[in-house]
Amino acid sequence: MKKFADVILPLPLPRCFTYSLPEEWADEVQIGCRVVVPFGRKKYYTAIVRNVHYFKPEEYEVKDVSTLLDARPILLPEQFKFWEWLADYYLCAQGDVYKAALPSGLKLESETMVEYNPDFESEVRLPEKEQKVLDLLSAEPEQCVTKLEKDSGIKNILSVIKSLLDKEAIFVKEELRRTYRPKTETRVRLVEEVRNEKRLQELFDELARAPKQLDLLMKYIELSGILGGDGLKSFPKEVTKKELLLRAAASPAVFNGLVDKHVFEVYQQEVGRLNAIVRDTLPVNPLNEHQQLAHDGIVQSFQSKNVCLLHGVTSSGKTEIYIHLIEETIRQGKQVLYLLPEIALTTQITERLQRVFGDRLGIYHSKFPDAERVEIWQKQLTEKGYDIILGVRSSVFLPFRNLGLVIVDEEHENTYKQQDPAPRYHARNAAIVLAAMYGAKTLLGTATPSIETWYNASSGKYGLVELKERYKEIQLPEIIPVDIQELHRKKRMNGPFSPLLLQYIRETLEQKEQVILFQNRRGFAPMIECRTCGWVPKCKNCDVSLTFHKGLNQLTCHYCGYTYQLPRMCPACEGTDLRNRGFGTEKIEDDIKILFPEASVARMDLDTTRTRSAYERIIADFEQGKTDILIGTQMVSKGLDFDHVSVVGILNADTMLNYPDFRSYERAFQLMAQVSGRAGRKNKRGRVILQTKSIDHPIIAQVIHNDFEQMVAGQLAERQLFHYPPYYRLVYVYLKNRNEQLLDLMAHTMSSKLRTVFGNRVLGPDKPPVARIQTLFIRKIVVKIEYNAPMARARELLVQVQKEMVMEDRFKSLIVYYDVDPM
Ligand code: ADP
Ligand code: ZN
Ligand code: ZN
C-alpha cells in the first residue's frame, strides 16, 4: 500500500503538507527524519516528517518526497510536543518554529547559499556528483543551491549538498562566520623531558647563575601547581604566557631564554569553545552558610513545585549554587540546560563552568559558526550528548534525552524574548514549559526579578528562595543621588557630568581604580523635553511619555495610539525651549577623553560589539585593568564580575523613567540595581552616582534603598488598575499591507470584529512608531485578556476573526501576525 508522510515545511503555513513516499525507501522513513520536498514553483525545501500513514489527501494533488536525508530522526518526540506548544501559544506556524529551532546546516533549501571550503582534502575519491558540485564551487566559491542545480544538471541536489556538508567540504554561508575568530591564548608548559622531579632539581641548580630565569621557572611552578601533593602532577593548571610574565614581572627576553634552553614550550589554546580540551577539572567550591541554606531551600521547594525563583543580590554567589545543583543533577544521570541572555554568555562564565565540568559542558551560542551548532545538535541526539548545555535563548530547541534541570539566569532580562521574526517566544517561559514536558525542574535566578516572576513566586505558584548576603560580605554600594536639574539651572553641569561625578572619577583614577559610566540605550527614543524645567509630555490615558515623530511633527502614545499636537510652550513653566533630547555613548566618550586625557577609555555598545570577540576583548581589557573608564549601555550591567570598580556613574536616570512603556519603571529599577551591583571591591564599599532630574521620583528612592519589594508593590497596584501583566495577558495583533488606506480600513474592521468578541479588552488600532517596514504599512491592535481567562479559547477566537477577515475578497492581501506577551 502507498505510504504518505505529513511534513513540516520551513514556511509560515497553517498546517502540515502531505507527500507520497517512493516505495524503494518508504519503510525507512521515520517520524523526525528530514526529507527534501518540492514546494511551490521549482523550489525544494528540507522538511521534517511529522507523521507516516496510508491516507491519501483528497483536496490536492500529492507530490513525491524527493529524498530522505536521515536514517534516524533528528527530532525527539518531546521536541514535537514543544514545537506544537510554541506554535499554539505564540500564535504562529510550526514552520516558523522549525526555522528558529534548527541551525541552517540542518535545513537546506533551494535558496541556501553554500560556500567552498578551501582546506578540504578528501582521503577517498568523492562520488561523481559530489565532485561535480565541488568543482563548480571551487571555480566560484559562493553559490546558491538553485544555481548549482542548474549548472550541474543534477536532480535532487540537496542530498548531494548535505553529503558535502557532512564531510565539511562545503559550508552553509553565514554572515557571522567571517567575523568570528576563535579566541586563542598562548599558554606555557614544561617540555616533556623536564617534566620529572629529578630533572627539575638539576635545573634549579643550573639556573642559580641565571636568577631571573630561575624566578620565572619558580613562578610557573607556583601558578601551575605542578609540584603539589606527591610528585609531579600530570595535569597541572594551565598557565598563560601573559599571566606568567605579569606575575613574575619578567621580560619576554627572560622567557625566551628558557624556551631556548628547552625548559618551556608554548602552545595555543582556544578558549571558551566547544572543543577546548579540558583535561583536568577542579572540585566544586564549598558553599558558605547562606548559600547552603539557599541551596537547601531550592531542593526543598522542588519537592512540591516545578519552578523556583532564587532572588539573590548581586555577587551573592548564585552561580556557585547553580554549580552545586548541576553537579547533583548530572550525578543522577540527568541533563541540565543553563540559559543565559546572549550578551551575558561570556568567557568568564564559560571558564567557571568548564573548570568544574570539563568536557561534559557544551556551549550553544548564536555567534558560533553554524557547523559547530549542527555538531552539538547531532551530539545531543546520541547517548554521548553533553550533560550540560550552557546556551542562549535558542538552546531551548536542542534535543535533550533526559532533561532534569533548567536554570534561567538573569531571568528578568527582556532579551529572552524574541522580537522578530516569529516565533515571538519568551525563552524563560518556554523553558519552564519544556522542563515540565520532561518532568524536570526550573530554577530562575536574578538579583532583580521581573514583576511577573515575582508575582508567581510570592503568590505561591513558584517556590521562592532569598539570598541577601553578598559572598564574603562585600557591602552593597552607596548610591548617591544628584539632582542635575538644579545643576543645569545653575549652569554647573559639565556636559552630561555633575561636579560630584567628575570629582569621584578623578579620585578613582588617582587611586588606580576603575569607573563604569552607564547611559541607557533607550535614551535615543525620540522624546521632547523642556530644557528649562525638565517637563516631558505624557499620554493622558496611559501615563507614559509620548514619542516624538519628527516627520509628522507630532507626539504619539506608544500604547493606546493617541496622537497629540506638539505644544509651543511648556505647560509647567511656560518655557519655550522644548527640545528633542537624548545623548549617546559616543558623545560621552568624546567628552570624557577631553576631561581626562590621560585615562584609557573604552566604549561598549551595539556599535563597538558587533562581533563576539570585540565584546570579549572590551571585557577582558577592563578586567585586566588596561581600561580605566568603561562607558556603556545596558551591556555593562550584564552579570559581569569585576574586581576594581569603585565608582559607577548613572548619567541620566530619566531616559529610563520616561520611556513610553508600562514596564519602564520596572526596567529602570532593574537596570540601575544591576549596574550599581558592579561597584564595590573586596575591602571597600563602592559608590554609585545616580544623576537625575526627577530626584523625587519614587523609583529613585527605591533604587537608593535597594527596596525591591516596595517597587514591586507600587508597580503591581498600577498594573492591576490599568490592566497590565501579570493581571492581564497582552496580545498585540499586527496588520500589514502595502496600501495604507486599505490597511486602515482593514484595521478598523478587524478591531470592531474583535470588539464584538472581546469587548473593551480591545484597544486601537494604533499606528506603531515604526509604521512602515519594507514597503508594508503596519497597524497594531492591543488585546488585554484577564490572566485566568481560558487562553486556548481566546486564541481560537483571535484566529477565527483573522479567518473571517481574509475570507473577504477585498481583504485577501492582509497579513496578520501576533505578539503574545510582548516585551
Ligand atoms: P552572582 O551570580 O550572585 O552575582 P557570583 O556567583 O558571580 O555571584 O559570585 C561572585 C564572586 O564570588 C565570584 O567571583 C565567585 O567566584 C565568588 N564566590 C561566590 N561563592 C563562592 C564560594 N562558595 N566559594 C568560592 N568563591 C565564591
Ligand atoms: Zn518647563
Ligand atoms: Zn496612551
Side-chain angles (χ1 to χ4, degrees):
M1 224 157 85
K2 188 97 186 135
K3 267 193 177 179
F4 298 89
D6 300 339
V7 305
I8 305 172
L9 281 147
L11 296 166
L13 303 166
R15 59 193 166 83
C16 286
F17 268 68
T18 306
Y19 289 83
S20 49
L21 293 171
E23 234 149 83
E24 309 98 84
W25 39 264
D27 290 335
E28 290 164 40
V29 178
Q30 298 175 45
I31 292 174
C33 285
R34 290 172 304 152
V35 288
V36 176
V37 297
F39 188 86
R41 294 188 55 201
K42 287 198 198 156
K43 277 212 187 134
Y44 287 88
Y45 293 93
T46 303
I48 297 193
V49 176
R50 181 67 193 98
N51 203 5
V52 180
H53 56 80
Y54 297 98
F55 305 104
K56 187 177 181 332
E58 300 296 329
E59 328 75 283
Y60 54 92
E61 195 200 332
V62 180
K63 294 182 194 158
D64 257 356
V65 166
S66 316
T67 326
L68 172 66
L69 289 181
D70 301 305
R72 243 160 298 145
I74 60 141
L75 221 62
L76 305 175
E78 289 86 356
Q79 288 176 284
F80 280 117
K81 242 171 91 188
F82 183 55
W83 287 21
E84 266 152 36
W85 177 82
L86 277 166
D88 233 32
Y89 185 86
Y90 291 104
L91 291 161
C92 64
Q94 284 204 42
D96 291 322
V97 181
Y98 168 20
K99 280 211 303 213
L102 266 66
S104 311
L106 291 180
K107 48 179 190 206
L108 298 170
E109 51 187 81
S110 305
E111 239 93 289
T112 305
M113 289 289 287
V114 292
E115 212 179 346
Y116 180 66
N117 176 7
D119 299 330
F120 174 72
E121 275 172 46
S122 181
E123 277 140 36
V124 293
R125 250 183 73 194
L126 290 176
E128 193 191 346
K129 284 181 182 172
E130 292 180 24
Q131 192 57 53
K132 200 163 178 185
V133 171
L134 212 54
D135 290 345
L136 284 169
L137 270 168
S138 69
E140 195 188 329
E142 278 174 24
Q143 295 191 49
C144 134
V145 170
T146 309
K147 183 164 184 297
L148 285 169
E149 183 164 33
K150 218 168 92 201
D151 294 352
S152 66
I154 300 174
K155 275 199 187 146
N156 254 329
I157 196 169
L158 283 181
S159 59
V160 180
I161 299 278
K162 180 208 172 235
S163 173
L164 286 169
L165 266 180
D166 289 347
K167 296 182 173 120
E168 294 199 3
I170 62 172
F171 296 118
V172 169
K173 184 173 158 6
E174 293 167 90
E175 299 310 324
L176 284 167
R177 226 169 65 79
R178 310 188 163 280
T179 58
Y180 178 82
R181 285 277 167 277
K183 196 181 158 202
T184 60
E185 266 178 2
T186 307
R187 298 193 181 170
V188 186
R189 63 184 167 219
L190 295 177
V191 301
E192 183 74 52
E193 302 85 80
V194 181
R195 255 178 270 160
N196 64 69
E197 261 177 298
K198 183 160 158 286
R199 181 69 191 111
L200 267 181
Q201 282 304 334
E202 289 168 17
L203 258 180
F204 293 156
D205 297 339
E206 284 169 36
L207 289 178
R209 272 162 292 135
K212 280 188 181 161
Q213 291 186 352
L214 184 59
D215 274 358
L216 192 60
L217 178 61
M218 297 310 285
K219 200 66 189 179
Y220 170 79
I221 289 170
E222 178 195 325
L223 290 175
S224 65
I226 195 167
L227 271 182
D230 32 23
L232 242 53
K233 280 195 192 160
S234 34
F235 298 122
K237 242 163 83 181
E238 299 197 56
V239 176
T240 67
K241 180 176 168 190
K242 193 158 85 195
E243 190 191 2
L244 179 62
L245 293 188
L246 198 75
R247 299 278 294 269
S251 71
V254 176
F255 180 82
N256 290 338
L258 283 172
V259 175
D260 293 343
K261 283 184 184 161
H262 293 284
V263 177
F264 283 159
E265 62 184 3
V266 296
Y267 61 102
Q268 297 296 319
Q269 179 69 62
E270 270 186 31
V271 287
R273 275 288 300 274
L274 163 63
N275 298 322
I277 304 150
V278 191
R279 287 181 268 167
D280 198 12
T281 56
L282 298 175
V284 296
N285 289 323
L287 298 177
N288 71 18
E289 133 200 32
H290 308 293
Q291 292 169 335
Q292 189 63 47
L293 270 174
H295 168 275
D296 297 348
I298 294 164
V299 173
Q300 172 85 38
S301 118
F302 281 158
Q303 302 277 328
S304 56
K305 288 174 180 150
N306 279 336
V307 186
C308 180
L309 166 65
L310 171 60
H311 178 211
V313 293
T314 46
S315 286
S316 53
K318 292 185 286 298
T319 318
E320 298 295 329
I321 297 177
Y322 302 155
I323 290 174
H324 278 250
L325 292 166
I326 293 170
E327 205 268 325
E328 289 150 19
T329 309
I330 62 178
R331 211 175 331 123
Q332 293 165 27
K334 294 189 178 162
Q335 290 173 303
V336 178
L337 169 62
Y338 184 147
L339 286 179
L340 269 168
E342 176 117 357
I343 206 80
L345 182 50
T346 59
T347 314
Q348 220 175 46
I349 181 75
T350 312
E351 288 194 331
R352 265 174 87 180
L353 291 182
Q354 241 161 13
R355 247 178 273 144
V356 181
F357 299 111
D359 54 13
R360 306 180 74 173
L361 175 76
I363 297 147
Y364 200 69
H365 198 294
S366 64
K367 290 194 176 162
F368 281 177
D370 192 72
E372 196 165 319
R373 280 186 282 159
V374 171
E375 209 178 301
I376 296 191
W377 188 289
Q378 300 283 16
K379 191 174 158 93
Q380 291 313 92
L381 286 169
T382 68
E383 296 291 340
K384 294 200 189 86
Y386 291 108
D387 296 321
I388 310 149
I389 292 286
L390 173 65
V392 295
R393 185 167 75 206
S394 58
S395 44
V396 296
F397 293 116
L398 280 172
F400 290 94
R401 301 183 72 87
N402 190 11
L403 190 61
L405 174 69
V406 177
I407 295 167
V408 185
D409 199 11
E410 312 290 350
E411 70 80 28
H412 63 279
E413 269 293 323
N414 53 336
T415 50
Y416 275 128
K417 168 85 179 183
Q418 169 147 321
Q419 303 290 357
D420 253 318
R424 296 175 176 80
Y425 66 104
H426 196 299
R428 174 197 62 214
N429 299 349
I432 291 173
V433 172
L434 180 76
M437 286 175 178
Y438 282 89
K441 303 292 175 183
T442 307
L443 178 64
L444 310 177
T446 173
T448 52
S450 65
I451 289 192
E452 281 95 333
T453 295
W454 182 257
Y455 180 75
N456 284 327
S458 52
S459 68
K461 185 171 167 193
Y462 299 167
L464 172 61
V465 170
E466 305 235 31
L467 182 55
K468 296 196 159 150
E469 283 76 20
R470 286 186 139 190
Y471 183 68
K472 290 203 177 137
E473 276 119 41
I474 306 168
Q475 278 180 295
L476 280 167
E478 175 190 12
I479 302 179
I480 307 158
V482 173
D483 182 354
I484 51 173
Q485 181 177 318
E486 178 76 13
L487 291 166
H488 266 300
R489 207 171 51 225
K490 294 186 182 153
K491 305 229 178 310
R492 296 205 32 223
M493 289 292 282
N494 197 331
F497 314 107
S498 62
L500 189 68
L501 177 56
L502 290 180
Q503 181 198 324
Y504 283 170
I505 295 176
R506 203 169 298 118
E507 285 174 17
T508 304
L509 294 177
E510 275 162 15
Q511 288 157 17
K512 302 264 176 280
E513 290 170 354
Q514 292 173 305
V515 179
I516 290 179
L517 296 177
F518 167 71
Q519 167 65 20
N520 187 43
R521 176 162 53 87
R522 285 186 146 170
F524 287 107
M527 271 185 270
I528 291 292
E529 182 189 50
C530 169
R531 277 298 158 118
T532 321
C533 75
W535 171 82
V536 172
K538 293 194 169 162
C539 174
K540 60 181 178 196
N541 302 322
C542 313
D543 195 31
V544 289
S545 324
L546 297 169
T547 310
F548 174 55
H549 289 264
K550 221 174 180 175
L552 306 168
N553 207 38
Q554 66 183 20
L555 300 162
T556 331
C557 172
H558 198 59
Y559 261 121
C560 62
Y562 213 88
T563 52
Y564 299 80
Q565 280 315 304
L566 199 62
R568 284 180 200 291
M569 190 189 336
C570 168
C573 75
E574 307 199 335
T576 50
D577 193 5
L578 298 176
R579 270 194 253 167
N580 195 349
R581 74 121 181 254
F583 48 76
T585 40
E586 217 175 326
K587 174 86 168 52
I588 296 167
E589 186 185 13
D590 293 344
D591 290 350
I592 274 287
K593 280 180 172 162
I594 293 168
L595 288 164
F596 301 100
E598 72 290 354
S600 89
V601 181
R603 176 161 61 93
M604 182 151 86
D605 55 26
L606 279 179
D607 286 337
T608 61
T609 55
R610 295 252 174 251
T611 68
R612 182 176 161 80
S613 48
Y615 175 67
E616 301 228 311
R617 193 169 333 109
I618 295 174
I619 293 173
D621 285 352
F622 195 62
E623 248 175 1
Q624 292 160 13
K626 288 187 199 154
T627 314
D628 303 311
I629 304 176
L630 179 63
I631 299 162
T633 56
Q634 10 279 71
M635 284 183 191
V636 298
S637 75
K638 302 295 182 250
L640 298 167
D641 188 17
F642 300 121
D643 285 339
H644 303 285
V645 178
S646 50
V647 168
V648 166
I650 297 172
L651 293 174
N652 187 343
D654 308 87
T655 55
M656 293 176 260
L657 295 172
N658 292 325
Y659 193 78
D661 185 300
F662 71 95
R663 285 186 223 271
S664 64
Y665 292 175
E666 173 189 357
R667 279 203 194 126
F669 182 93
Q670 286 164 350
L671 272 172
M672 287 193 267
Q674 290 281 352
V675 78
S676 302
R678 306 306 129 212
R681 319 189 27 195
K682 295 267 148 62
N683 310 312
K684 194 170 153 191
R685 192 171 179 202
R687 279 174 176 158
V688 178
I689 309 300
L690 199 177
Q691 302 190 149
T692 175
K693 290 181 182 172
S694 331
I695 199 89
D696 300 321
H697 199 293
I699 293 287
I700 300 294
Q702 287 155 8
V703 169
I704 292 170
H705 301 115
N706 197 26
D707 196 344
F708 175 76
E709 284 168 41
Q710 208 192 347
M711 184 280 289
V712 177
Q715 288 305 293
L716 282 177
E718 276 183 26
R719 302 273 183 97
Q720 191 156 30
L721 193 63
F722 294 109
H723 296 190
Y724 282 111
Y727 302 98
Y728 283 72
R729 240 187 256 274
L730 299 185
V731 178
Y732 291 170
V733 184
Y734 287 97
L735 296 87
K736 284 190 179 178
N737 200 275
R738 242 168 253 288
N739 178 335
E740 186 162 27
Q741 267 180 333
L742 179 61
L743 179 64
D744 274 325
L745 179 63
M746 290 164 164
H748 282 102
T749 313
M750 186 153 176
S751 71
S752 48
K753 277 179 190 288
L754 286 169
R755 271 192 189 88
T756 57
V757 181
F758 293 102
N760 61 3
R761 295 179 189 84
V762 180
L763 302 177
D766 133 44
K767 206 173 185 175
V770 186
R772 190 181 186 202
I773 297 178
Q774 291 168 339
T775 75
L776 288 174
F777 291 94
I778 309 170
R779 293 294 180 270
K780 179 175 117 190
I781 299 170
V782 178
V783 184
K784 294 178 171 181
I785 300 163
E786 292 84 339
Y787 190 81
N788 44 18
M791 256 321 265
R793 179 76 188 126
R795 282 193 294 267
E796 246 169 57
L797 293 169
L798 282 168
V799 174
Q800 178 64 32
V801 168
Q802 178 186 351
K803 273 198 190 131
E804 278 174 29
M805 285 294 294
V806 289
M807 251 147 58
E808 283 191 49
D809 254 355
R810 56 185 183 148
F811 294 154
K812 260 200 339 230
S813 58
L814 172 65
I815 299 167
V816 178
Y817 64 89
Y818 303 88
D819 191 356
V820 179
D821 301 340
M823 292 291 280

